[in-house]
Amino acid sequence: MIVLSSVLEKIKNPRDLDNLNDKQLNELCCEIREHMLKVVADNGGHLASNLGVVELTVAIHRAFNSPDDSIIFDVGHQCYTHKLLTGRYDRFCSLRTENGISGFMKPSESEHDPIITGHSSSSVSAGYGICKGNALNGRSDYVVVVIGDGALTGGMVYEAFNSVGRDKCNLIIVLNDNGMSISRNVGALSRQLNLIRNKISYHRFKHMIENMVLKIPYVGDRLRGGLLRSKNMLKNAIYNSNIFEGLGLKYLGPVNGHDISQLTNIFEIAKNSNRPVVIHTITKKGKGYTYAENNPDVFHGISPFDIETGDKISVSQQDFSYIFGQEMCKIAKTDRKVCAITAAMTSGTGLNDFSRMYSTRFFDVGIAEEHAVTFAAGLAKTGQKPVFAVYSSFLQRGYDQVLHDVAIANLPVTLCVDRAGIVGEDGETHQGLFDVAFLSTIPNVKIYAPSNYNELRAMLCERLSNPVGVAAIRYPRGSEPEYIKDFEYSGNAFDIIGGSDIAVVVYGTMFAEVAKAADILKESGKVISIIKLNLINEFSDELLNQVLKYKKVYFFEEGIINGGIAQQLGSKLLHNSFKGKYKLMGVNGFVQQASISSVRKRYGLDVFSIVDLISGEWQ
């Protein structure tokens, strides 16, 4: 068992850092890593990214005054140290558990979390907005944005840079670079100039000289301009400049992201710049834990694991993502038109093998879902068969592109929507509850919902054998339900199982809950019919005529009620003068972190809630 010393336990707010000496700061960073490691090993979470920003976060809180100064982490999964330093040490063991603290920034949890951050590349826009709002309120507080190099692949960042670069505001953007090189640094001269440029004395001297030049009568402005042009010519020759300076932001760095003294020094330089600044820090993902350093992708987001071995405690050999990836490889072997696209989620979407075996037909576009959808449209236009594998909550960003760039032209693009339905411990920002509602509003989009691995394989093969128009195949996080793992896909848009005047309509893996409930009800003499939707948003006359025959119809949907399939079917039945009773059960509002089973129970979607509801209304 890890025994902590007293430094971390005494940090109740960021100002408690002010009186720590260098030795105590190093001890604190070690304790943070140990505590973080223990909690994530128990609860799961984002480990490698958080281990990499410990010193960086400590230095930020030493240099700035949160919550007056706003600190924003993008994507937000790298905020664990921030939580430990802002009064949440005592609750940190509840990380990502029901009624516990979130794995992301959350304003309702702490005044030190200015905004919700769960999706990437939005931090600069939000930070700039806070800056301008502060100015309108007569305040001059700093806004610090910590953004990873991966988030720079998101186009929203550059939209924000385009605005920020034309302004003068107290926005400081900390680029946490743990893998991608941004600036080109050449030789010993470059390194020496960086050492000089990163000293606060240098910047004070530079400002003093500029002010002296400006005071020279008549020629001050022109002389200062000439000096600046000469300096920039020299700097561009040595550094080859960079995109940030081209956009009008001041660039500082690179600086060692694990050296608190260097970081504190450069933050002071940035605070005295009187303009937006980008500070380029170099960090090591997974720092301090060998397994995470060697395999940062594996330990990016990880389920509970054994600290001593680095092995996951419960290892599932297969899940829906894995089955999808394997089937894609199988199909691509004989169909050279099949292409796979991912938005920086090769491993998460099960495409590791495809990326190696068919590298010329694999495209990782970075954190750029909008681009991915329109890129897929371009591929489809040339006769290719593009498959965009994307998490449900991330596809939300591509809604306009699905509608405008794909559906209007009815291009054969396939969206494989991973993590559909209730996701669990990542909370509101990652639940896959909205894709059905927003995709079903778009004409020409067909939505398939496999309930097990067999159906996923069959639906993917069926779709790619003759892709016409836009289609989405949505499947959940995790493994197939044991109860229905042998159920075979009929190839029909819907199936009716059993015979009764009471029907339960369902799709996807909720079919397992309803099938179990049906067997329990049957034991007490209550027989129901199950209408299982496979192509879930196609309400044919045949389907409607079948449903209209029942006296009672229940619809259990693991998705948002407003705009969901249950609501749409209910509207169709109403317009067709349905005389029976219709009841739908689904999700209302945003869903906080909790286990999938707990969330299902909360919304009446688990097997026992289904049994209780139908039994209670049985006549």
Side-chain angles (χ1 to χ4, degrees), residues 440-611:
S440 61
T441 65
I442 304 175
N444 297 335
V445 177
K446 294 182 178 181
I447 308 173
Y448 294 86
S451 63
N452 60 15
Y453 297 160
N454 289 332
E455 290 196 324
L456 174 57
R457 293 186 186 101
M459 289 177 179
L460 188 60
C461 287
E462 176 186 298
R463 163 63 185 175
L464 293 179
S465 65
N466 184 29
V468 177
V470 194
I473 303 174
R474 67 186 308 271
Y475 43 91
R477 178 184 189 180
S479 304
E480 67 178 349
E482 283 289 325
Y483 204 79
I484 56 163
K485 69 177 184 179
D486 296 323
F487 189 85
E488 293 292 337
Y489 177 48
S490 66
N492 300 321
F494 67 93
D495 296 304
I496 298 179
I497 302 158
S500 170
D501 57 2
I502 296 175
V504 176
V505 187
V506 70
Y507 63 80
T509 53
M510 275 299 300
F511 174 49
E513 301 294 306
V514 170
K516 279 190 270 187
D519 286 347
I520 294 172
L521 288 166
K522 188 175 181 181
E523 290 175 0
S524 60
K526 301 177 177 71
V527 178
I528 63 171
S529 295
I530 301 175
I531 301 177
K532 177 181 175 295
L533 304 181
N534 300 318
L535 183 57
I536 67 176
N537 64 329
E538 188 171 283
F539 302 124
S540 64
D541 290 340
E542 181 186 3
L543 173 64
L544 290 173
N545 289 333
Q546 289 288 345
V547 179
L548 286 167
K549 296 176 183 178
Y550 293 95
K551 293 181 179 179
K552 289 184 179 180
V553 178
Y554 299 87
F555 200 131
F556 294 92
E557 181 172 17
E558 192 176 284
I560 199 73
I561 289 177
N562 291 333
I565 300 301
Q567 192 177 79
Q568 293 178 46
L569 178 59
S571 177
K572 291 284 187 182
L573 293 176
L574 181 64
H575 283 293
N576 283 273
S577 302
F578 179 55
K579 302 300 183 183
K581 179 179 178 181
Y582 183 76
K583 189 161 190 172
L584 60 87
M585 298 294 290
V587 177
N588 274 312
F590 295 109
V591 177
Q592 297 185 9
Q593 76 261 17
S595 67
I596 293 174
S597 59
S598 178
V599 175
R600 279 184 172 173
K601 183 176 181 180
R602 186 190 312 166
Y603 289 98
L605 299 174
D606 67 299
V607 59
F608 298 110
S609 296
I610 295 168
V611 169

